[in-house]
Coordinates of all heavy atoms in Angstrom, one line a residue:
E1 N 27.3 20.7 9.2 CA 27.2 20.2 10.6 C 25.7 20.2 11.0 O 25.3 19.3 11.9 CB 28.0 21.2 11.5 CG 27.4 22.6 11.7 CD 27.6 23.5 10.6 OE1 28.5 23.2 9.6 OE2 26.9 24.5 10.5
D2 N 24.9 21.0 10.4 CA 23.4 21.0 10.7 C 22.8 19.6 10.4 O 22.1 19.1 11.1 CB 22.7 22.1 9.9 CG 23.2 23.5 10.3 OD1 23.9 23.6 11.4 OD2 22.9 24.4 9.6
G3 N 23.1 19.2 9.2 CA 22.6 18.0 8.7 C 23.1 16.7 9.5 O 22.3 15.8 9.7
M4 N 24.4 16.8 9.9 CA 24.8 15.7 10.7 C 24.1 15.6 12.0 O 23.9 14.5 12.5 CB 26.3 16.0 11.0 CG 27.2 15.9 9.7 SD 27.4 14.2 9.1 CE 28.4 13.4 10.3
F5 N 23.8 16.8 12.7 CA 23.0 16.8 13.9 C 21.7 16.1 13.6 O 21.2 15.3 14.4 CB 22.9 18.2 14.4 CG 22.1 18.4 15.7 CD1 22.7 18.2 16.9 CD2 20.7 18.7 15.5 CE1 21.9 18.3 18.1 CE2 20.0 18.8 16.7 CZ 20.6 18.6 17.9
L6 N 21.0 16.6 12.6 CA 19.7 16.0 12.3 C 19.7 14.6 12.0 O 18.8 13.8 12.5 CB 19.1 16.7 11.0 CG 17.7 16.3 10.6 CD1 16.7 16.5 11.7 CD2 17.3 17.0 9.3
M7 N 20.7 14.0 11.3 CA 20.8 12.6 11.0 C 21.0 11.8 12.3 O 20.6 10.7 12.4 CB 21.9 12.3 10.0 CG 21.6 12.9 8.7 SD 20.0 12.6 8.0 CE 20.0 10.8 7.9
Q8 N 21.7 12.4 13.3 CA 21.8 11.7 14.6 C 20.4 11.6 15.2 O 20.0 10.7 15.8 CB 22.8 12.4 15.5 CG 24.2 12.4 15.1 CD 25.1 13.1 16.1 OE1 25.2 12.7 17.3 NE2 25.6 14.2 15.7
Y9 N 19.7 12.8 15.2 CA 18.4 12.9 15.9 C 17.3 12.1 15.3 O 16.6 11.5 16.0 CB 18.0 14.4 15.9 CG 16.8 14.7 16.8 CD1 16.9 15.1 18.1 CD2 15.6 14.7 16.2 CE1 15.8 15.4 18.8 CE2 14.4 15.0 16.9 CZ 14.5 15.3 18.2 OH 13.4 15.6 19.0
I10 N 17.4 12.0 14.0 CA 16.3 11.3 13.3 C 16.2 9.9 13.6 O 15.1 9.3 13.4 CB 16.4 11.6 11.8 CG1 15.0 11.5 11.1 CG2 17.4 10.6 11.1 CD1 14.1 12.6 11.4
K11 N 17.2 9.3 14.0 CA 17.2 7.9 14.4 C 16.2 7.5 15.5 O 15.8 6.4 15.6 CB 18.6 7.4 14.9 CG 19.7 7.5 13.8 CD 21.1 7.2 14.4 CE 22.2 7.5 13.4 NZ 23.5 7.3 13.9
Y12 N 15.9 8.6 16.3 CA 14.9 8.3 17.4 C 13.5 9.0 17.2 O 12.8 9.1 18.1 CB 15.6 9.0 18.7 CG 16.9 8.5 18.9 CD1 18.1 9.3 18.4 CD2 17.2 7.3 19.4 CE1 19.3 8.8 18.7 CE2 18.5 6.8 19.6 CZ 19.6 7.6 19.3 OH 20.8 7.1 19.4
V13 N 13.3 9.4 15.9 CA 12.0 10.0 15.6 C 11.1 9.0 15.0 O 11.4 8.3 13.9 CB 12.2 11.2 14.6 CG1 10.9 11.7 14.1 CG2 13.0 12.3 15.2
K14 N 9.8 9.0 15.5 CA 8.8 8.1 15.0 C 7.7 9.0 14.3 O 7.0 8.4 13.4 CB 8.2 7.3 16.1 CG 9.2 6.3 16.7 CD 8.5 5.4 17.8 CE 9.5 4.4 18.4 NZ 8.9 3.7 19.5
R15 N 7.5 10.1 14.8 CA 6.4 11.0 14.2 C 6.9 12.4 14.1 O 7.7 13.0 15.0 CB 5.2 11.0 15.1 CG 4.5 9.7 15.3 CD 3.2 9.8 16.1 NE 2.2 10.4 15.3 CZ 1.2 11.1 15.8 NH1 1.0 11.3 17.1 NH2 0.3 11.6 15.0
V16 N 6.6 13.1 12.9 CA 7.0 14.4 12.6 C 5.8 15.3 12.4 O 4.9 14.9 11.7 CB 7.9 14.5 11.3 CG1 8.3 15.9 11.1 CG2 9.2 13.6 11.5
L17 N 5.8 16.4 13.1 CA 4.7 17.3 13.1 C 5.0 18.5 12.1 O 6.0 19.2 12.3 CB 4.4 18.0 14.4 CG 3.5 19.1 14.5 CD1 2.0 18.6 14.2 CD2 3.4 19.8 15.9
P18 N 4.3 18.6 11.0 CA 4.5 19.7 10.1 C 3.8 21.0 10.6 O 2.6 20.9 11.1 CB 3.9 19.2 8.8 CG 2.8 18.2 9.2 CD 3.2 17.6 10.5
V19 N 4.5 22.1 10.5 CA 4.0 23.4 11.0 C 4.0 24.3 9.8 O 5.0 24.8 9.4 CB 4.8 24.0 12.2 CG1 4.1 25.3 12.6 CG2 4.9 23.0 13.3
N20 N 2.8 24.5 9.2 CA 2.8 25.2 7.9 C 2.5 26.7 8.1 O 1.6 27.3 7.5 CB 1.6 24.6 7.1 CG 2.0 23.1 6.7 OD1 3.1 22.8 6.3 ND2 1.0 22.3 6.8
K21 N 3.5 27.3 8.9 CA 3.4 28.8 9.0 C 4.7 29.3 8.8 O 5.7 28.8 9.3 CB 2.9 29.2 10.4 CG 1.5 28.7 10.8 CD 1.0 29.3 12.1 CE 0.7 30.8 11.8 NZ 0.1 31.4 13.0
A22 N 4.8 30.4 8.1 CA 6.1 31.1 7.8 C 6.3 32.1 8.9 O 6.0 33.3 8.7 CB 6.0 31.8 6.4
V23 N 7.0 31.7 9.9 CA 7.2 32.7 11.0 C 8.7 33.0 11.2 O 9.1 33.6 12.2 CB 6.6 32.1 12.3 CG1 5.1 32.0 12.3 CG2 7.2 30.7 12.7
Y24 N 9.5 32.5 10.3 CA 11.0 32.7 10.5 C 11.5 33.4 9.2 O 11.2 33.1 8.1 CB 11.7 31.4 10.6 CG 13.2 31.4 11.0 CD1 13.6 31.3 12.3 CD2 14.2 31.6 10.0 CE1 14.9 31.4 12.7 CE2 15.5 31.7 10.4 CZ 15.8 31.6 11.7 OH 17.2 31.7 12.0
Y25 N 12.3 34.5 9.5 CA 12.9 35.2 8.3 C 14.4 35.0 8.2 O 15.1 35.3 9.2 CB 12.7 36.7 8.6 CG 11.3 37.2 8.3 CD1 10.2 36.9 9.2 CD2 10.9 38.0 7.1 CE1 8.9 37.3 9.0 CE2 9.6 38.3 6.9 CZ 8.7 38.1 7.8 OH 7.4 38.5 7.6
Y26 N 14.7 34.3 7.2 CA 16.1 33.9 7.0 C 16.8 34.9 6.1 O 16.4 35.1 4.9 CB 16.1 32.5 6.3 CG 17.4 32.1 5.7 CD1 18.5 31.8 6.6 CD2 17.6 31.9 4.3 CE1 19.7 31.4 6.1 CE2 18.8 31.5 3.8 CZ 19.8 31.2 4.7 OH 21.1 30.8 4.2
A27 N 17.9 35.5 6.6 CA 18.6 36.5 5.8 C 19.8 35.8 5.0 O 20.6 35.2 5.6 CB 19.3 37.5 6.8
K28 N 19.6 35.8 3.7 CA 20.5 35.2 2.8 C 21.5 36.2 2.2 O 21.0 37.2 1.6 CB 19.8 34.4 1.8 CG 20.8 33.7 0.8 CD 20.0 32.9 -0.3 CE 20.9 32.2 -1.3 NZ 20.2 31.5 -2.3
N29 N 22.8 36.0 2.3 CA 23.8 36.9 1.6 C 24.4 36.1 0.5 O 25.3 35.3 0.7 CB 24.8 37.4 2.6 CG 25.7 38.5 2.0 OD1 25.9 38.6 0.8 ND2 26.2 39.4 2.9

């Protein structure tokens, strides 16, 4: 469902800003 949301959104994107900082901690089980 995450990817489906992004694919809808990306249709309206002309420029993407990369943010090269690791500020999110993802907990994987």
Side-chain angles (χ1 to χ4, degrees):
E1 72 285 344
D2 298 346
M4 294 291 286
F5 178 85
L6 179 61
M7 294 311 298
Q8 292 180 68
Y9 186 92
I10 205 67
K11 296 173 185 177
Y12 308 99
V13 172
K14 295 180 180 178
R15 299 187 72 203
V16 179
L17 172 66
V19 182
N20 297 314
K21 296 194 70 175
V23 294
Y24 192 95
Y25 284 75
Y26 167 68
K28 180 180 180 180
N29 189 333

